[in-house]
Amino acid sequence: MKWLNIILLSCILASCHNHEMLSFPINSMHCDGFVTGDLLFVHDQAGDMDQAITAATGHYTHVAIVECTDSGVFVIEALPRRGVVRNTLQDFYLANMVDTNQASPIDKYYVDVDYDTAKLLTLMHQFLGQPYDDYFAHDNQHLYCSELVYECFFDSKGRHLFSTQPMNFNDSLGNLPQYWQSHFDSLGVPTPQGQLGTNPSDMAKAPFLVRFKIE
C-alpha cells in the first residue's frame, strides 16, 4: 500500500508539471500548469444573459484572469451583482460547471507575448471591489469581465495589449434580443450599440493567445 501511494503521488506531481495536461483536478490547487496572466474563457451555459451574449458575439460568455501564489491558484473576475472579486480556482471551476459528468465548459489561453507583469498584478488587486459595469461603458469606474482584462494588460510601453472595437448587442438577424432591451430600459439608458468595447469571444481571437482545452 505504501508503494502504491508513492506511485500515485508521483503520477499526480508529473501531471501538474505538464502545461498542456489540464485535467483540472478539484483538489490540486498548487499545480504549476497555470501561470499568472493565463486567461480562462467560459462557454455559454444557457442562462438568459449567456444566450443574449452568444446571439450577439459568439460562444464565449465570460473571461477571467489567473493569479498563481504560494498559497494556491486564484481567479480574478468581474461578475454581475458582485463586481470584481478574487476566488480560488476550485470555486471558479465549480461555479462554471454544467455537469460533473461532462467536459469542462472552460478554455485556458496562454498570453504568448511580452507584457507588463508587475502592472498586471498591481491592477488586478487595485480593481478588486470595483462594481460590475451593467452599462458596458468605458471610464465609468465599473468593469465587466472582458473590460477588466482589457484594463489589466499593458505592454512595456504602456499601451493596452488588447484592442477595442464597436460593440454589438444585436442577434444574427440584426434584432435586439428582449433581454438586452429590458436590461438597458431598466437602467434608463440607450443600448450602447456601436460604442467601443470588448467581448470574450472577440478577445479570444487575439493573435498572441494560445488555447489549451481543459477537459
Side-chain angles (χ1 to χ4, degrees):
M1 182 62 69
K2 180 180 178 180
W3 286 107
L4 179 60
N5 289 337
I6 292 175
I7 294 172
L8 179 60
L9 178 60
S10 299
C11 291
I12 292 174
L13 291 176
S15 68
C16 284
H17 283 274
N18 188 336
H19 194 71
E20 297 187 29
M21 294 297 291
L22 300 175
S23 59
F24 226 137
I26 293 295
N27 60 349
S28 183
M29 302 312 300
H30 298 273
C31 183
D32 62 0
F34 292 89
V35 297
T36 296
D38 281 347
L39 297 176
L40 299 178
F41 287 82
V42 183
H43 289 265
D44 174 23
Q45 296 191 44
D48 290 342
M49 186 175 184
D50 282 8
Q51 291 180 353
I53 292 173
T54 56
T57 62
H59 58 284
Y60 288 129
T61 61
H62 185 59
V63 59
I65 310 170
V66 170
E67 179 189 13
C68 293
T69 74
D70 291 339
S71 56
V73 183
F74 295 86
V75 176
I76 294 178
E77 57 186 327
L79 297 173
R81 296 179 295 281
R82 294 183 60 193
V84 181
V85 296
R86 183 175 184 260
N87 294 311
T88 66
L89 182 64
Q90 178 182 10
D91 286 343
F92 175 83
Y93 184 53
L94 291 174
N96 290 287
M97 287 176 65
V98 175
D99 187 329
T100 55
N101 296 317
Q102 295 180 357
S104 169
I106 303 168
D107 289 335
K108 171 197 165 183
Y109 283 74
Y110 172 70
V111 183
D112 191 20
V113 69
D114 289 335
Y115 60 89
D116 192 333
T117 306
K119 189 168 188 175
L120 168 68
L121 286 168
T122 298
L123 290 173
M124 285 196 303
H125 287 269
Q126 178 180 308
F127 288 137
L128 287 176
Q130 202 97 326
Y132 186 79
D133 190 1
D134 291 300
Y135 296 84
F136 295 92
H138 275 296
D139 303 321
N140 64 350
Q141 304 304 309
H142 293 60
L143 294 167
Y144 55 89
C145 68
S146 57
E147 185 182 17
L148 171 65
V149 175
Y150 174 80
E151 294 293 353
C152 282
F153 282 86
F154 289 83
D155 65 18
S156 60
K157 296 182 179 180
R159 300 172 299 194
H160 285 284
L161 200 63
F162 292 91
S163 60
T164 59
Q165 60 185 356
M167 289 189 291
N168 175 56
F169 293 86
N170 295 333
D171 60 23
S172 60
L173 299 177
N175 300 316
L176 183 67
Q178 184 58 48
Y179 176 87
W180 290 127
Q181 186 66 63
S182 300
H183 175 82
F184 291 110
D185 283 349
S186 69
L187 296 174
V189 297
T191 303
Q193 178 74 12
Q195 294 186 19
L196 290 180
T198 59
N199 70 75
S201 290
D202 285 325
M203 182 170 279
K205 297 174 184 176
F208 49 80
L209 292 185
V210 179
R211 186 177 80 127
F212 293 89
K213 180 72 175 180
I214 297 177
E215 299 295 348

